[in-house]
Amino acid sequence: MTNFTLAELDAIIAARAVSDDEMSYTRKLMGKGVAKCAQKLGEEAVEAAIAAVQHDRDELTAEAADVLYHLLVVLKVCDVSLEDVMAELARRTGQTGLEEKAARPRD
C-alpha cells in the first residue's frame, strides 16, 4: 500500500502548471485550455469504463490513475480546489446516496 495521496498529486499539478519546464505535460495541457483538459478527462474516463467492462484489472488500474490525474487538471484549470470537492464528498456521506439524489434541485 502506498501513502501517496490525491492532495500530493494536486500539489504536483499546481506546481507544474506554473513551471517554466518546457517538457511538462501538465503545463502544456493546461496551456491548451479547459476544453482540451476536459476532452482528455472524458477520453480517460471512457477508457477506464471499457477496461472495467472487460474485467482488465491492470488496464483499469492504469486508466483510473489517468482519470484521477486528468480530473485534478480540470479542477485546477477551472479554479476548483480539491479541498472543496472533498468537503462536498464529506457532506454527502451524512446521508444515503438515494437521499442525496432526491435532495438535488430538479431541472
Side-chain angles (χ1 to χ4, degrees), residues 6 9 13 41 44 63-73:
L6 286 178
L9 179 58
I13 289 168
L41 173 59
E44 299 301 342
E63 295 301 339
D66 289 343
V67 168
L68 292 174
Y69 164 79
H70 285 283
L71 175 58
L72 291 177
V73 168

Side-chain angles (χ1 to χ4, degrees), residues 4-107:
F4 188 71
T5 67
L6 286 178
E8 289 172 311
L9 179 58
D10 191 50
I12 291 167
I13 289 168
R16 291 183 180 167
V18 296
S19 78
D20 293 332
D21 183 0
E22 294 292 327
M23 298 304 294
S24 170
Y25 173 74
T26 301
R27 181 176 165 267
K28 286 183 180 184
L29 179 60
M30 291 182 71
K32 293 179 181 178
V34 176
K36 184 62 174 180
C37 294
Q39 176 189 348
K40 288 299 295 177
L41 173 59
E43 289 170 4
E44 299 301 342
V46 168
E47 290 169 3
I50 292 168
V53 169
Q54 293 175 341
H55 304 284
D56 187 335
R57 289 180 52 89
D58 291 338
E59 188 66 16
L60 178 55
T61 299
E63 295 301 339
D66 289 343
V67 168
L68 292 174
Y69 164 79
H70 285 283
L71 175 58
L72 291 177
V73 168
V74 167
L75 292 175
K76 180 68 178 167
V77 80
C78 291
D79 198 29
V80 174
S81 73
L82 177 59
E83 185 176 302
D84 288 347
V85 174
M86 298 309 291
E88 176 63 14
L89 286 171
R91 184 191 67 76
R92 291 181 184 188
T93 61
Q95 57 190 336
T96 70
L98 294 176
E99 291 170 329
E100 186 276 327
K101 187 173 181 181
R104 291 181 191 170
R106 303 208 188 273
D107 292 333

